Amino acid sequence: MATGAERSKFEQLKADSGYLHDPLAEELENDLAHFTEGAVQLLKFHGSYQQDNRENRQKGQDKDWQMMLRLRSPAGRISTALYLAMDELADRLGNGTLRATTRQAFQMHGIRKENLREVIGTIVRSMGSTLAACGDINRNVMAPAAPYEKGAYPAARQLANDIADLLSPSAAEGTYLDLWVNGDLSYRIKPTKAVKTARARQQEGGVFSGDATEPLYGPTYLPRKFKCAVTVPGDNSVDLLTQDIGLVAFADAHGELRGCNVYVGGGMGRTHNKEETFARTADALGYVDAEHVFDLVQAILALQRDYGDRNTRRHARLKYLIHDQGIAWFKQELKAKYFAHPIKGLRLEPKVKLEDYLGWHRCSAGKWFVGIPLLCGRLSGELKRGLRELVDTYQLEVRLTPNQDILLCNIGTAQRATVKDALAALGITTPEEPDLLARHAIACPALPLCGLAVTEAERILPNVLDRLDAQLRRLEIEKSILVRMTGCPNGCARPYMAELGLVGDGVNQYQLWLGGTPNLTRLAEPYLERMPLEQLETTIEPLLVGWKAAGGRRSFGDYVAKLGRDQVKALVQRP
């Protein structure tokens, strides 16, 4: 727990920045091709990371500096105008691609420093935002992407949007508009009346930071990033247990929100060879009535603001606070200082499923959407051009899924056949039936742009899946396996929930994680350190053979878990 008596260098940087303004504002005006470290750290709060293309590094030459930009798009919703703007910007001022992330947002790569203001300004003027897409602050709020009008789906989407507005910074929003759209306040976030009322309560009690200008966060914001997701009972498209706050929304027969089951303290990030860092699934906190959900979300964030570790960044996430202090302490502290309303026992939920919404679905009378598989989330080339034409011609709305897929929405019944033909011309004839392994596999961008990556992920995942598919066919196994891959241990593709997770730990070497579930409810466990990728098939074959011999009734992850750690280790570590 940070005492506040001594601030780390980064905490002091935030405190001295004038609500994320300086030195970023000054460096935006110079002619250098890159930002200094202080400005880079503040830039994250504005939605951007500074990167360089490692494949273009040359001894004695300056790095190939460029910026990655990430959107704030609650529930993955991208309007027609925003999609068209992003597509054009990617071609004109980026590297020609867009990428759907595992948090339901677009990333744009390859932006030069001198073009960053134009890119962000265009996004804001197209009714988008990048504010708080990165940094020590609440990130993009996830929710089921499908535009269903049934059950609790509309309430969940609205709640995700409301929480995004509720936890948006106040003073930093002014800085954001000042830097990127010349202070035009007409682009301020416009919350609902209920959210405005709840935000006013940020000035009260334990939730108040003590800083009237930035009442929820204070001048140093959070110790680390903070992630929220909302879903409906039975739908685990959002990987609910990996979130700092996970909410399961219950609605009445009319679709009105009645309340939420609340889970706290999930998170995927870890550091190799640092056993004090680990992936963790969230604990159940309880059920809260709808009228108190906003206050509870603010209270949880405020508790993490006050008690999260500000001295050791790798120990700063909410998951470590709850792990160290316990969920009973957390709940007691929450009720004593931050939240005055009842927290009840959990409501019963059905068994959850990883939904992906691929293929054609009716979402309301006369309206359809189609889910298009997009392996690794990368949009480029002919597919990118074809989707732009469809979105522009039919004024379609786009939604991004946590599985890095894309939904084309608001398709009228009369337009369905034409859209289907256009997709077929792009090679998408059966979007509801992608290859089994590819259907739920995801990867992070990794090399060559991510500064944290130690090896490949996105660029080689298709080949890895082809190899695994060939192996399963050879063994005559018809069931699928949930595969996730990252180029480092930070967990952006949430590999620690996979049945088979590959986590970069050296050039072409990966940690092997096994034993997650297809519906994302159990953590995998690490079995091998630095496994050469070429040894993947021979390493896991004994497990696959045993799985088949067992009849394949269980999922691969459940089979691994039932075998037990000692037996699995013996099988995968055989010479």
Side-chain angles (χ1 to χ4, degrees):
M1 187 189 308
T3 64
E6 293 184 11
R7 283 188 173 134
S8 68
K9 181 179 177 181
F10 186 46
E11 289 294 308
Q12 193 62 51
L13 170 71
K14 290 186 286 184
D16 294 341
S17 70
Y19 305 104
L20 312 179
H21 191 275
D22 303 311
L24 180 57
E26 180 181 352
E27 293 191 22
L28 276 169
E29 305 303 326
N30 67 35
D31 295 328
L32 295 177
H34 62 91
F35 295 98
T36 66
E37 180 61 20
V40 165
Q41 295 304 323
L42 298 184
L43 189 64
K44 294 176 184 178
F45 291 82
H46 296 260
S48 183
Y49 282 88
Q50 181 167 275
Q51 303 176 330
D52 77 284
N53 190 327
R54 297 195 214 178
E55 293 176 346
N56 292 342
R57 288 180 181 177
Q58 297 182 35
K59 190 173 182 179
Q61 300 286 326
D62 197 12
K63 293 179 179 178
D64 181 12
W65 295 108
Q66 48 192 279
M67 309 298 151
M68 179 272 280
L69 192 64
R70 185 182 295 155
L71 287 187
R72 169 197 188 270
S73 50
R77 189 172 184 176
I78 310 289
S79 70
T80 305
L82 180 57
Y83 182 87
L84 296 176
M86 290 293 295
D87 181 274
E88 190 272 338
L89 287 168
D91 287 346
R92 183 165 59 88
L93 298 175
N95 68 357
T97 75
L98 291 173
R99 193 175 192 281
T101 75
T102 56
R103 285 205 73 78
Q104 298 182 269
F106 269 134
Q107 284 182 352
M108 179 177 161
H109 292 92
I111 307 165
R112 302 298 173 184
K113 176 176 175 256
E114 65 267 23
N115 296 325
L116 190 57
R117 180 172 276 145
E118 180 180 354
V119 173
I120 295 180
T122 301
I123 289 169
V124 173
R125 294 182 182 97
S126 302
M127 306 314 293
S129 179
T130 66
L131 175 62
C134 324
D136 298 348
I137 200 162
N138 181 58
R139 303 284 185 92
N140 194 47
V141 182
M142 298 166 67
Y148 291 132
E149 294 300 327
K150 62 186 181 182
Y153 279 96
R157 293 194 301 269
Q158 183 61 50
L159 182 55
N161 197 73
D162 285 345
I163 290 173
D165 291 349
L166 179 74
L167 302 184
S168 185
S170 298
E173 184 186 12
T175 296
Y176 181 80
L177 297 177
D178 180 51
L179 295 186
W180 308 112
V181 288
N182 298 315
D184 190 337
L185 298 182
S186 68
Y187 294 109
R188 273 195 178 279
I189 292 168
K190 299 174 176 62
T192 62
K193 182 179 179 180
V195 173
K196 284 183 181 178
T197 301
R199 281 176 67 104
R201 293 195 290 273
Q202 293 173 2
Q203 304 270 0
E204 303 170 0
V207 172
F208 183 43
S209 69
D211 184 331
T213 306
E214 193 70 277
L216 181 60
Y217 289 102
T220 54
Y221 298 86
L222 295 179
R224 281 295 301 275
K225 58 189 174 184
F226 196 86
K227 298 180 177 181
C228 300
V230 184
T231 193
V232 305
D235 184 330
N236 199 21
S237 59
V238 299
D239 236 342
L240 191 81
L241 297 180
T242 68
Q243 314 289 333
D244 290 279
I245 301 177
L247 302 170
V248 180
F250 291 85
D252 62 19
H254 304 288
E256 292 294 320
L257 183 69
R258 305 308 301 162
C260 293
N261 280 348
V262 184
Y263 299 84
V264 291
M268 293 285 97
R270 44 179 293 277
T271 303
H272 286 322
N273 303 315
K274 301 290 184 183
E275 295 304 317
E276 68 273 20
T277 69
F278 45 82
R280 186 182 192 276
T281 50
D283 289 324
L285 182 67
Y287 176 86
V288 173
D289 290 331
E291 60 265 37
H292 305 312
V293 169
F294 290 164
D295 286 334
L296 178 65
V297 169
Q298 291 185 147
I300 293 170
L301 185 143
L303 194 159
Q304 163 64 359
R305 175 199 69 206
D306 294 343
Y307 286 92
D309 190 340
R310 291 182 181 266
N311 294 321
T312 306
R313 282 186 65 78
R314 70 168 62 101
H315 187 251
R317 291 289 300 276
L318 177 64
K319 64 178 178 178
Y320 296 119
L321 177 63
I322 293 179
H323 176 267
D324 293 345
Q325 301 289 344
I327 188 65
W329 171 89
F330 183 85
K331 189 172 182 178
Q332 179 180 346
E333 197 71 15
L334 192 69
K335 296 181 74 171
K337 298 182 181 178
Y338 300 90
F339 184 69
H341 307 290
I343 300 177
K344 306 174 184 177
L346 289 179
R347 286 189 58 172
L348 185 65
E349 299 175 31
K351 185 176 180 180
V352 300
K353 180 182 178 183
L354 169 52
E355 300 285 359
D356 58 31
Y357 326 116
L358 296 181
W360 285 90
H361 305 265
R362 188 193 303 272
C363 54
S364 61
K367 290 291 184 181
W368 297 76
F369 74 91
V370 59
I372 299 169
L374 197 63
L375 186 58
C376 298
R378 185 70 64 180
L379 258 181
S380 60
E382 188 58 34
L383 178 60
K384 179 172 170 292
R385 288 189 290 273
L387 291 183
R388 178 195 170 86
E389 185 174 344
L390 275 173
V391 171
D392 194 14
T393 300
Y394 298 105
Q395 292 297 289
L396 305 180
E397 184 179 79
V398 169
R399 303 199 184 204
L400 307 178
T401 79
N403 220 52
Q404 300 179 304
D405 298 320
I406 189 167
L407 311 184
L408 300 181
C409 306
N410 294 340
I411 301 170
T413 298
Q415 301 167 339
R416 186 182 173 195
T418 308
V419 172
K420 195 171 184 179
D421 290 343
L423 290 175
L426 294 170
I428 304 170
T429 54
T430 55
E432 71 281 3
E433 295 180 356
D435 293 340
L436 283 179
L437 282 172
R439 180 163 200 145
H440 290 153
I442 57 178
C444 69
L447 296 176
L449 293 176
C450 179
L452 299 174
V454 295
T455 191
E456 297 280 1
E458 176 187 333
R459 295 194 296 190
I460 66 168
L461 179 65
N463 177 255
V464 170
L465 297 180
D466 287 344
R467 288 167 49 188
L468 288 172
D469 181 64
Q471 184 177 21
L472 292 175
R473 289 176 185 273
R474 176 172 55 79
L475 295 173
E476 298 181 336
I477 296 173
E478 296 181 357
K479 293 188 72 173
S480 188
I481 298 172
L482 179 61
V483 180
R484 291 178 170 180
M485 189 174 196
T486 59
C488 84
N490 284 275
C492 291
R494 302 186 291 275
Y496 311 115
M497 302 300 289
E499 293 184 281
L500 193 162
L502 297 169
V503 179
D505 195 9
V507 178
N508 296 322
Q509 298 184 92
Y510 296 81
Q511 288 186 342
L512 178 66
W513 289 67
L514 300 167
T517 59
N519 66 351
L520 305 171
T521 54
R522 182 179 61 228
L523 276 174
E525 294 186 43
Y527 284 95
L528 290 178
E529 303 281 340
R530 299 202 166 201
M531 177 192 71
L533 191 59
E534 65 266 20
Q535 294 179 13
L536 174 60
E537 290 94 331
T538 56
T539 299
I540 66 171
E541 181 131 342
L543 287 173
L544 295 177
V545 170
W547 181 38
K548 181 185 177 184
R553 289 183 296 275
R554 295 186 180 90
S555 69
F556 180 67
D558 284 344
Y559 170 75
V560 168
K562 185 169 179 60
L563 273 183
R565 183 165 182 81
D566 290 343
Q567 192 169 349
V568 173
K569 285 184 72 173
L571 288 171
V572 300
Q573 291 179 347
R574 292 191 308 179

